[in-house]
Amino acid sequence: MRSTFLGFETARRGLSASQKGLDITGQNMSNVSTPGYSRQRLDLVSLSVSPQDRFRSVSATNAGEGVQVAGVNQLRDRFIDTRLRSELANEAYFETSLDVLHSLEGVLNEVDQGFKPLLSDLVSSLHGLTLNPDQTTQANMVRTSLQTLNSVMNHTASQLEQLKHQFSGRLAIDVAEFNLQLKSIANFNQAIVSQGLHNREGVSTSSVNELIDQRNLALDKLSRFVNVQTRLENNGTVSLSVHDQTILSEDFIDSINLISMPNQNVAIAWQSSGQAVQAQSGSLIASVDSINGDTPHTAGIAFYQQQLGTLARSIAAVVNQSFTQTDGTFKTVLTYDHAQAGATIALSQAFSTNPRYIIQEGASNLSNQHIHQLIARLEGNGDIEGFNGSFNDFIQQYSVNLAQDISFMQTRQSVSSSIVFDLEQRRDAISGVSLDEEGAEMMKYIKSFNAIARLMTTMDEALDIIINRLGTVGR
Amino acid sequence: MRVTGKSLQRSFIRGLNQNANRLTASQTRINTGQRFTKVSDNVSDATQALHVRTLLQRNETFLNNASEVQARLSAQENQLLYIHSSVQEAQELIMRGFSQTHSEIDRNTIATQIRGIRDAVIQSINAKTANHYTFASSANEPPIRIQGDLVLYHGQDVNNFAADSERTEFQVSMGPTLNIQQSALGVLGFGVDENNVANNLIHVLNQAAQAIQSDNQSLRGVLTTKMEEAQTSLLVRVSDVGMKARFMDSNIERLNSENLTLLTQQNKLEAVDVAEEIVLNKTHEMAWQINLQMGAKILPMSLFDFMR
């Protein structure tokens, strides 16, 4: 037997569902530009209050009971999220590495300035000295050339040290930001669990969707620092690990410490184990690699400091083996500070105060062959530690090495950015808000609302017939 | 695939950035006139360009050296020819002085003339070109000084020398250096012969003047031979200097031609083809403007723009 007011109840549920639908559409439209927001959909199910399976019911008594709002669904693809986060870590690695390499190229640029023209100036001034080997003016020109070369070398060394300092500072900020993001993910985990309304990601009946969005946003940010693996737990929390080491679970949270090493090098280690952070990608790893890298294959700031040191040391050695004193021993023309990581090269006190220090006095020493020998060594091969080539070749080699690293990184960064772009577009295709679609939804719900309002009127008219007009014949 | 406003926006901004980057890069190339400002802009061309720059700078140095050498050789040749003509003149005077028809006054006059030639030779051998002694690698002191009866070369008696070791090497091309020094010691002669007679021209002229003045005929043969030897030696030196000067001429020509080739190469590697770059720049600018216009049309469009 159907109850009298069943139709009103059905219409009321329909009106509520349509209004909720309009609310969700409004929520989507309001958050069209909110970072990290995933579009939401109302989960509507046809209502059956009968304990029996309604499809097998032979009775029509319980049919037509209307609609029920089962929940608010958040549209997201976890596979795309995982892929995107992994690629974000790669992109951040290449971007950070490129940033350091571009800064290095700015300091060591051979196109606009650099050591090659200075070395050529030195050779030219030495040629000038061969023309007039006992003229103070020519010796002074050699002194000026050497002084300029030294100043630029020392300035470059100090710029490299500053770069190390600056990028170490940025790493410290990144480490703090990483720890903060990790803590905020832990807080979101707690908040989601405390809501107690969550069974599986994407389905909820409360504002937990917004918490999930914010957690996802924090996870995206975190992924740029280090490539983290995420695992969704049954209670709705996420566990995180890096290189198989758990860094966040329901009852554990780790953090990263920045450790200063000798020669301004740096290291990052986990607070819990003290072990170095090991990962393939991410800006933190790129910063550490770029600051500490000291081999041609992992060339970072430290490598170019070494190259500069080798260049300065070798030039000092060659120049100091060229001018002899009366007792046959060599004159110290340049001094080199071995304690410094980069170059700290200077004119010796004797040469600095008297340019004639390099002039070989006396009738027996009128030859200029020693100057030619110095020129030959500066232009020839084999006078640089561990390098078979000239000074020009050495400078060219590390410049080209740097440029090739930049070129290689640019290609990889460009590929990675394209992948990130593609994945973001694909994520947006699922989770993003389309105003066209929301407009259509809005029209759909308003039409549905209008129709149900009409149903209510019809029901009212039907009841009016039953109550007021039924059996009035002959009254 | 669903296309949302955000994805349209992202795609638009990405395209706009790419166009703006290309436009900026092209603008930089036009402003600087260079195809690259960093090695990483074009690794291969920049590497070659740096090598060409080194070669150019080296060539410039060689050209400077060659010009200086040319000037010095020219000065040497002039002085050597002057000394040679002086020696010829002295030789005639000596021949005349030793003939027995002259009176004492005539002999004294000839001896004085010979001493005059000697002084002129000393002046010539100590001559300076610009700030440099023509026949010395040192610029600080004249190579030859007379002290009493002694002829001193850089303070030492020329008779005590057994060899001329003074050299001034120049580099005018990659490879071995070139010695262009004609030392005062070599030009005038040094040491003594087996009869203990000085080989040095100044000594010979001194001895000749003295012998003619005192009518000492015993030295006639020795001194005449010494003068002839001096003339021959000077002619050999003049021809040596001439040969080096010709070599230097052809070397300068070669260096100039190499310079031209290197400059052409440098221009090709480093300089922007302005016409091509401007066309490229305009293309990028147009793409950028189209992107902006399209973006302005696409981005605000949605169903809401058509709803009443």
Side-chain angles (χ1 to χ4, degrees):
Chain A
M1 181 75 179
R2 177 187 182 278
S3 73
T4 307
F5 299 108
L6 178 69
F8 281 109
E9 198 53 35
T10 302
R12 186 193 63 75
R13 286 198 191 99
L15 285 173
S16 293
S18 295
Q19 277 176 325
K20 187 43 86 183
L22 281 171
D23 290 344
I24 298 303
T25 306
Q27 167 81 349
N28 284 341
M29 289 194 297
S30 311
N31 287 294
V32 67
S33 302
T34 307
Y37 180 77
S38 307
R39 71 181 164 122
Q40 297 176 7
R41 279 287 168 265
L42 203 59
D43 264 354
L44 297 176
V45 290
S46 173
L47 185 66
S48 167
V49 292
S50 166
Q52 295 166 340
D53 184 341
R54 63 193 175 94
F55 292 109
R56 286 171 59 199
S57 173
V58 290
S59 164
T61 312
N62 296 323
E65 289 175 20
V67 69
Q68 185 187 14
V69 176
V72 179
N73 187 26
Q74 188 187 49
L75 296 165
R76 241 187 136 87
D77 185 331
R78 280 173 51 211
F79 177 62
I80 290 179
D81 281 346
T82 308
R83 283 192 61 200
L84 178 62
R85 280 167 198 154
S86 166
E87 204 52 49
L88 281 173
N90 285 335
E91 190 189 38
Y93 183 90
F94 300 136
E95 274 175 1
T96 307
S97 301
L98 259 180
D99 196 10
V100 178
L101 291 174
H102 276 310
S103 304
L104 273 170
E105 199 182 31
V107 173
L108 300 168
N109 190 8
E110 283 293 321
V111 175
D112 283 341
Q113 64 275 345
F115 298 120
K116 284 182 88 163
L118 294 175
L119 209 56
S120 294
D121 284 348
L122 173 63
V123 168
S124 291
S125 65
L126 284 168
H127 272 289
L129 189 63
T130 64
L131 298 172
N132 300 292
D134 61 352
Q135 274 193 7
T136 311
T137 330
Q138 295 295 344
N140 195 37
M141 282 175 77
V142 172
R143 184 173 70 168
T144 308
S145 297
L146 276 171
Q147 205 156 22
T148 312
L149 182 65
N150 293 348
S151 312
V152 175
M153 278 190 158
N154 293 338
H155 180 63
T156 307
S158 116
Q159 280 182 312
L160 288 180
E161 256 187 56
Q162 270 179 32
L163 272 189
K164 251 191 172 178
H165 184 69
Q166 285 162 4
F167 283 105
S168 299
R170 194 178 76 175
L171 179 62
I173 294 168
D174 284 354
V175 164
E177 180 68 19
F178 173 89
N179 291 336
L180 197 70
Q181 291 296 341
L182 197 61
K183 208 175 271 182
S184 72
I185 292 169
N187 290 339
F188 287 129
N189 270 346
Q190 271 184 356
I192 287 166
V193 170
S194 69
Q195 294 276 341
L197 296 168
H198 192 277
N199 289 322
R200 61 187 173 86
E201 187 173 11
V203 178
S204 124
T205 54
S206 75
S207 62
V208 80
N209 277 342
E210 275 64 43
L211 289 174
I212 291 169
D213 277 344
Q214 287 177 49
R215 188 177 66 187
N216 277 325
L217 196 62
L219 279 169
D220 287 353
K221 284 181 185 166
L222 195 78
S223 300
R224 293 189 65 84
F225 294 116
V226 177
N227 185 17
V228 289
Q229 286 83 48
T230 50
R231 196 158 66 94
L232 185 66
E233 305 295 347
N234 288 333
N235 60 359
T237 59
V238 285
S239 300
L240 302 179
S241 59
V242 173
H243 209 253
D244 293 333
Q245 179 165 347
T246 302
I247 60 163
L248 179 72
S249 64
E250 203 175 344
D251 51 3
F252 172 74
I253 178 166
D254 212 336
S255 63
I256 290 178
N257 286 336
L258 177 65
I259 301 158
S260 295
M261 310 284 279
N263 290 332
Q264 282 196 317
N265 283 355
V266 288
I268 48 173
W270 295 111
Q271 167 75 35
S272 59
S273 60
Q275 297 284 313
V277 176
Q278 291 195 333
Q280 302 288 328
S281 50
S283 64
L284 296 185
I285 306 298
S287 288
V288 174
D289 288 354
S290 302
I291 292 167
N292 297 350
D294 59 358
T295 68
H297 304 295
T298 57
I301 301 172
F303 174 74
Y304 292 99
Q305 281 185 313
Q306 281 178 8
Q307 297 295 98
L308 186 62
T310 304
L311 183 67
R313 210 163 40 241
S314 304
I315 288 174
V318 167
V319 174
N320 285 342
Q321 287 166 9
S322 299
F323 301 95
T324 45
Q325 311 197 72
T326 43
D327 62 358
T329 57
F330 288 117
K331 291 177 179 174
T332 305
V333 178
L334 297 173
T335 58
Y336 180 80
D337 185 354
H338 291 264
Q340 299 295 320
T344 306
I345 187 168
L347 299 180
S348 67
Q349 179 68 20
F351 187 37
S352 153
T353 49
N354 175 22
R356 289 193 66 82
Y357 180 66
I358 57 166
I359 290 176
Q360 299 193 322
E361 310 281 358
S364 58
N365 281 319
L366 289 171
S367 162
N368 60 6
Q369 271 182 316
H370 62 292
I371 310 168
H372 282 292
Q373 278 165 6
L374 171 57
I375 293 172
R377 287 183 75 180
L378 287 173
E379 294 197 318
N381 297 346
D383 270 309
I384 304 173
E385 307 155 15
F387 180 75
N388 187 21
S390 66
F391 284 97
N392 267 324
D393 294 339
F394 183 78
I395 296 165
Q396 183 139 326
Q397 197 203 38
Y398 74 67
S399 298
V400 170
N401 189 59
L402 177 58
Q404 279 172 337
D405 279 353
I406 290 175
S407 192
F408 176 65
M409 274 302 168
Q410 271 171 339
T411 309
R412 295 185 72 183
Q413 194 259 342
S414 166
V415 170
S416 187
S417 286
S418 294
I419 296 173
V420 166
F421 174 76
D422 181 52
L423 288 168
E424 277 179 339
Q425 292 291 76
R426 287 168 67 182
R427 177 153 85 173
D428 213 46
I430 292 164
S431 307
V433 175
S434 158
L435 287 178
D436 294 336
E437 205 173 270
E438 297 308 322
E441 288 285 302
M442 194 179 83
M443 286 198 286
K444 185 179 88 181
Y445 285 121
I446 198 71
K447 294 281 180 203
S448 145
F449 187 86
N450 286 341
I452 293 163
R454 179 72 196 148
L455 175 69
M456 185 76 94
T457 311
T458 308
M459 286 291 176
D460 184 44
E461 282 171 4
L463 211 56
D464 181 55
I465 290 168
I466 292 168
I467 297 168
N468 298 323
R469 288 195 265 159
L470 206 64
T472 58
V473 179
R475 202 189 280 181
Chain B
M1 185 160 141
R2 287 175 73 247
V3 179
T4 63
K6 203 186 266 182
S7 69
L8 269 179
Q9 206 177 3
R10 188 183 295 115
S11 185
F12 163 71
I13 288 170
R14 183 180 156 85
L16 199 65
N17 272 338
Q18 284 174 344
N19 278 329
N21 276 335
R22 279 193 281 262
L23 187 62
T24 311
S26 171
Q27 204 66 50
T28 308
R29 283 195 292 272
I30 290 171
N31 291 343
T32 58
Q34 284 192 301
R35 288 176 58 214
F36 46 81
T37 48
K38 302 188 294 290
V39 181
S40 64
D41 288 345
N42 187 335
V43 181
S44 156
D45 282 2
T47 310
Q48 280 186 56
L50 289 179
H51 183 61
V52 169
R53 283 185 190 184
T54 308
L55 293 179
L56 262 172
Q57 194 150 8
R58 190 181 287 163
N59 246 29
E60 288 291 338
T61 306
F62 288 159
L63 262 172
N64 280 344
N65 287 357
S67 304
E68 174 74 23
V69 168
Q70 213 176 24
R72 287 192 185 189
L73 287 172
S74 169
Q76 282 177 6
E77 194 176 11
N78 289 341
Q79 295 299 344
L80 283 172
L81 284 172
Y82 176 73
I83 294 170
H84 180 260
S85 68
S86 302
V87 169
Q88 252 181 340
E89 198 185 331
Q91 172 79 323
E92 282 167 20
L93 286 169
I94 290 168
M95 298 292 278
R96 211 150 27 106
F98 277 120
S99 70
Q100 294 173 339
T101 57
H102 292 298
S103 65
E104 193 182 342
I105 295 168
D106 290 341
R107 287 200 310 275
N108 280 343
T109 309
I110 290 170
T112 308
Q113 282 179 311
I114 291 171
R115 285 192 184 101
I117 289 173
R118 179 202 63 189
D119 292 344
V121 167
I122 291 172
Q123 213 167 20
S124 191
I125 208 80
N126 285 340
K128 265 185 152 181
T129 316
N131 58 352
H132 187 268
Y133 287 103
T134 311
F135 296 105
S137 48
S138 166
N140 291 333
E141 54 175 13
I144 296 294
R145 262 188 314 120
I146 307 294
Q147 194 173 36
D149 288 340
L150 294 176
V151 178
L152 301 176
Y153 166 68
H154 291 300
Q156 292 182 33
D157 187 354
V158 290
N159 289 348
N160 293 336
F161 281 88
D164 172 21
S165 61
E166 191 173 333
R167 297 175 69 82
T168 303
E169 304 278 344
F170 286 95
Q171 200 175 14
V172 288
S173 63
M174 286 308 285
T177 53
L178 176 75
N179 177 29
I180 63 127
Q181 192 57 54
Q182 294 287 343
S183 78
L185 189 68
V187 171
L188 299 180
F190 52 86
V192 289
D193 65 9
E194 61 277 8
N195 300 318
N196 214 23
V197 178
N199 295 323
N200 184 273
L201 183 62
I202 308 297
H203 276 304
V204 172
L205 291 171
N206 272 339
Q207 279 181 314
Q210 212 170 357
I212 288 168
Q213 213 168 6
S214 60
D215 199 15
N216 182 356
Q217 294 289 335
S218 64
L219 287 173
R220 179 182 179 161
V222 178
L223 292 173
T224 312
T225 312
K226 289 279 176 203
M227 288 302 285
E228 278 166 6
E229 280 172 4
Q231 277 193 67
T232 313
S233 159
L234 283 166
L235 280 178
V236 168
R237 284 179 185 272
V238 169
S239 104
D240 181 41
V241 168
M243 204 175 67
K244 281 177 180 164
R246 271 200 303 280
F247 168 70
M248 214 43 64
D249 285 344
S250 68
N251 208 52
I252 287 175
E253 209 171 302
R254 180 184 61 79
L255 286 169
N256 276 326
S257 152
E258 268 180 24
N259 241 22
L260 200 64
T261 312
L262 287 169
L263 283 170
T264 312
Q265 210 175 339
Q266 187 185 36
N267 198 47
K268 200 172 151 192
L269 285 167
E270 294 195 37
V272 164
D273 180 339
V274 180
E276 189 185 323
E277 195 57 50
I278 286 174
V279 170
L280 205 66
N281 184 272
K282 286 288 156 200
T283 313
H284 293 321
E285 193 180 346
M286 190 176 287
W288 184 60
Q289 282 176 350
I290 289 170
N291 207 335
L292 276 176
Q293 280 179 7
M294 294 301 287
K297 280 181 185 169
I298 291 169
L299 285 184
M301 284 288 182
S302 76
L303 185 61
F304 291 94
D305 293 291
F306 300 95
M307 282 166 79
R308 281 188 292 169

